[in-house]
């Protein structure tokens, strides 16, 4: 399914819960819920149950489709709760894991993020304040920040992807 077609549409009509539900269609409850959201919106709008048909209907009648989407968001709050329950189950399983790193990676990552980004912010302010040309300093620092943030996000992304694979294979 082309869920990416619906994400901007859902944001535009003010349905953030539905946007989160369909953009996290990685399997398990989230995948089932993402499909159910598309089905419910299509049913309300009266089109085929696929993101392209919903997007086309929205282009033809933004107000009508927007209202249908907002109604589905209100009706689908229990699905949001189901997805959160699955996430919470994963976190509880991590807390009970035998491996110490599996138990403490979230708090450690949070502490590291806070410390590193505070230091980066302070360095950024200092570099701008101490530079002869603050605009040039922003340009130079921007490249370094992008690289650093890209590496950090990549490491986290690989971990999350790998962990998802482990859960799908039953190695929770």
């Amino acid at each position: 399914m082309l869920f990416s077609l619906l994400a901007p549409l859902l944001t535009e009509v003010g349905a953030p819960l539905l946007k989160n539900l369909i953009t996290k269609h990685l399997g398990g409850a989230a995948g089932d819920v993402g499909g159910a959201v598309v089905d419910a919106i299509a049913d309300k709008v009266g089109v085929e149950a696929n993101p392209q048909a919903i997007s086309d209907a929205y282009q033809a009648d933004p107000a009508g489709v927007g209202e249908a989407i907002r109604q589905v968001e209100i009706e689908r709050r229990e699905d949001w709760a189901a997805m959160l329950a699955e996430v919470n189950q994963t976190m509880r399983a991590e807390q009970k894991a035998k491996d110490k790193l599996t138990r403490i990676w979230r708090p450690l990552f949070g502490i590291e993020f806070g410390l590193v980004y505070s230091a980066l912010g302070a360095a950024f302010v200092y570099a701008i304040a101490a530079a002869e040309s603050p605009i040039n300093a922003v340009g130079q620092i921007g490249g370094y920040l992008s690289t650093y943030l890209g590496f950090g996000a990549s490491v986290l992304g690989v971990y999350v992807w790998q962990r998802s694979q482990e859960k799908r294979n039953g190695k929770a």
Side-chain angles (χ1 to χ4, degrees):
M1 290 189 143
L2 302 169
F3 288 105
S4 60
L5 284 173
L6 289 182
L9 186 146
L10 295 174
T11 301
E12 187 174 322
V13 299
L17 294 178
L18 291 180
K19 177 184 176 277
N20 285 335
L21 286 173
I22 67 152
T23 55
K24 297 186 183 344
H25 57 89
L26 299 175
D32 296 341
V33 169
V37 166
V38 170
D39 293 345
I41 293 171
D43 186 49
K44 286 268 189 214
V45 175
V47 297
E48 186 179 334
N50 70 61
Q52 183 64 53
I54 295 168
S55 180
D56 293 344
Y58 180 75
Q59 298 303 320
D61 180 19
V65 174
E67 183 57 33
I69 289 172
R70 285 187 285 279
Q71 287 176 358
V72 169
E73 179 166 45
I74 291 168
E75 295 167 2
R76 290 288 173 181
R77 292 186 190 256
E78 69 277 359
D79 293 331
W80 179 246
M83 192 170 80
L84 285 177
E86 185 173 299
V87 169
N88 289 337
Q89 180 184 6
T90 299
M91 292 174 74
R92 283 191 291 276
E94 286 175 355
Q95 289 174 345
K96 295 177 183 176
K98 293 178 183 176
D99 180 36
K100 187 172 186 170
L101 184 59
T102 301
R103 288 193 313 269
I104 65 171
W105 82 267
R106 287 180 196 266
L108 284 179
F109 193 74
I111 292 167
E112 184 264 343
F113 236 61
L115 293 174
V116 167
Y117 291 104
S118 296
L120 282 173
F124 191 67
V125 169
Y126 174 77
I128 291 172
E132 289 180 30
S133 174
I135 298 297
N136 288 342
V138 169
Q140 290 174 340
I141 294 169
Y144 295 124
L145 286 175
S146 297
T147 302
Y148 181 79
L149 295 175
F151 281 124
S154 297
V155 168
L156 179 61
V158 168
Y159 175 82
V160 169
W161 176 76
Q162 192 66 25
R163 188 74 182 113
S164 298
Q165 286 296 107
E166 289 175 358
K167 287 189 276 183
R168 282 190 207 116
N169 295 334
K171 298 177 185 176

